[in-house]
Amino acid sequence: MIWLIGSTGMLGSEIAELLKKNSIPFVGTGSEIDITDFDQLNAFAQSHERKPSGIQSAERITWIVNCAAYTAVDKAEEEEEKARLVNTTGPLNIARVARAIGAKLIHISTDYVFDGSASAPYTEDMAVCPVGVYARTKADGEKAVQKEMTQYYIFRTSWLYGFYGKNFVYTMTSLMNKGNELKVVCDQRGTPTCASTLASVIVRVIEGAENATKLFGHHAALPYGVYNVSDEGETTWFDFAKEIYRLGKKYKRISCDCALSPCTTAEYPTKAKRPAYSVLSKAKIQKEAGIKLPQWKDALEHFIKDSRFEVR
């Protein structure tokens, strides 16, 4: 069984839907289990380890997927202790529990572990160089997992958006529907990623590993380690916004005319520094898992025309 931590968040909700659709048993938890409290995590895990009469072995936790994170990048500059507890201590506690019960761990990380000074896509073997509180706590969370256990997957992603919760696509469509002129940063490059893409990869990796175990009696699927997972291609926030506007008008998600103009990072100062370039290379995951990732524009179009899309 899968323990999905952060099951009501943007990514967690998407994974939960896929697990239900594929009839994969899981238990989801949110704020009722504090990941910064090892005893709470351990007690929950141990409650599923006990097998009194009538409890099937399938109810034992064999996978933990950690979608919980402190993601308020700017606010983290003022709340370093809180960000560190969730992004570093939390993953450490989860990894300790996973190792104790023999479960495999999938942990979600970010492109922010790199400083953005590159000019070509970042590969998994490049040294991390985080800038800012959020970035440092996420990088330290990765290190905590790697130090604590060996049966893990760390999936780094970028510019994530989805049907559940706040994200750039919903923010832009909401502002565009007010008909105001918008200025959007044009000198930061990265790759928008639909949560459904990342969720699909996660479920596919789990299914592949479980099938390998059934067939061969041991884990013989995707090798453990760090993987970059995002949609394909690259763009700027400004060009991302332009595509949101085009598709929003096409699928009648945006009813007003809206003028978009580019601005520089210097013209739009934030408390936390953003990477100027954070494109991730997906060659490793595509080669090792045989996964073909969608182009970001295609994924965005599927997202905007989906019946689950909310006009806010």
Side-chain angles (χ1 to χ4, degrees):
M1 186 176 68
I2 299 163
W3 179 7
L4 179 58
I5 298 175
S7 62
T8 59
M10 183 167 62
L11 178 60
S13 296
E14 197 76 43
I15 295 171
E17 284 193 3
L18 269 181
L19 294 174
K20 291 174 186 175
K21 182 179 179 180
N22 290 277
S23 300
I24 299 173
F26 76 98
V27 58
T29 59
S31 58
E32 72 274 17
I33 301 293
D34 182 0
I35 66 169
T36 70
D37 187 329
F38 174 80
D39 291 335
Q40 279 193 37
L41 286 168
N42 190 51
F44 184 87
Q46 292 302 325
S47 72
H48 286 269
E49 283 294 287
R50 304 188 193 101
K51 297 183 288 298
S53 177
I55 298 296
Q56 301 297 314
S57 60
E59 293 189 20
R60 293 187 63 250
I61 295 169
T62 54
W63 287 84
I64 300 177
V65 181
N66 178 32
C67 297
Y70 181 108
T71 58
V73 177
D74 289 321
K75 200 172 182 180
E77 296 298 312
E78 302 171 350
E79 297 184 342
E80 181 168 359
E81 182 179 358
K82 185 175 180 179
R84 184 160 296 282
L85 280 170
V86 177
N87 291 343
T88 305
T89 305
L92 172 62
N93 290 338
I94 293 167
R96 288 174 61 196
V97 169
R99 189 182 68 174
I101 64 174
K104 295 173 277 289
L105 173 62
I106 292 177
H107 174 66
I108 310 303
S109 192
T110 173
D111 56 328
Y112 273 67
V113 299
F114 299 112
D115 64 6
S117 62
S119 56
Y122 284 97
T123 59
E124 291 84 350
D125 57 357
M126 288 182 170
V128 301
C129 186
V131 177
V133 172
Y134 168 74
R136 288 195 299 271
T137 59
K138 289 297 289 182
D140 288 345
E142 285 189 6
K143 293 175 185 175
V145 170
Q146 293 170 309
K147 184 177 180 180
E148 191 65 30
M149 63 186 300
T150 58
Q151 292 184 308
Y152 67 84
Y153 297 105
I154 294 173
F155 291 147
R156 292 173 180 154
T157 195
S158 63
W159 296 23
L160 197 66
Y161 64 91
F163 295 108
Y164 311 97
K166 296 179 180 179
N167 59 74
F168 185 77
V169 180
Y170 277 152
T171 297
M172 286 294 104
T173 53
S174 177
L175 292 172
M176 290 168 181
N177 269 319
K178 293 183 171 83
N180 299 326
E181 179 180 352
L182 297 177
K183 288 188 175 183
V184 185
V185 172
C186 65
D187 57 357
Q188 295 174 21
R189 298 191 68 82
T191 305
T193 305
C194 189
S196 61
T197 298
L198 182 53
S200 296
V201 170
I202 289 169
V203 173
R204 180 166 172 176
V205 166
I206 292 172
E207 287 186 310
E210 291 301 298
N211 289 335
T213 300
K214 291 175 184 176
L215 288 172
F216 308 115
H218 59 85
H219 182 92
L222 184 69
Y224 294 119
V226 180
Y227 293 88
N228 296 332
V229 182
S230 73
D231 288 325
E232 286 283 26
E234 61 181 80
T235 189
T236 66
W237 289 108
F238 175 66
D239 288 329
F240 186 16
K242 287 201 301 182
E243 189 66 5
I244 292 168
Y245 182 66
R246 183 184 76 81
L247 292 170
K249 296 288 274 188
K250 177 180 178 179
Y251 292 104
K252 297 181 171 40
R253 306 301 193 187
I254 297 171
S255 56
C256 296
D257 292 330
C258 177
L260 292 171
S261 58
C263 70
T264 65
T265 299
E267 293 175 274
Y268 188 75
T270 55
K271 290 181 181 178
K273 183 180 178 181
R274 268 66 172 172
Y277 183 89
S278 61
V279 179
L280 302 172
S281 169
K282 278 75 68 176
K284 182 180 176 182
I285 187 73
Q286 294 189 107
K287 177 183 177 182
E288 296 287 352
I291 291 173
K292 183 175 175 59
L293 297 165
Q295 290 292 318
W296 74 265
K297 287 186 178 181
D298 294 335
L300 179 63
E301 182 163 12
H302 284 298
F303 175 75
I304 289 177
K305 71 180 184 181
D306 193 288
S307 61
R308 292 176 292 171
F309 187 92
E310 296 181 13
V311 178
R312 301 180 177 181

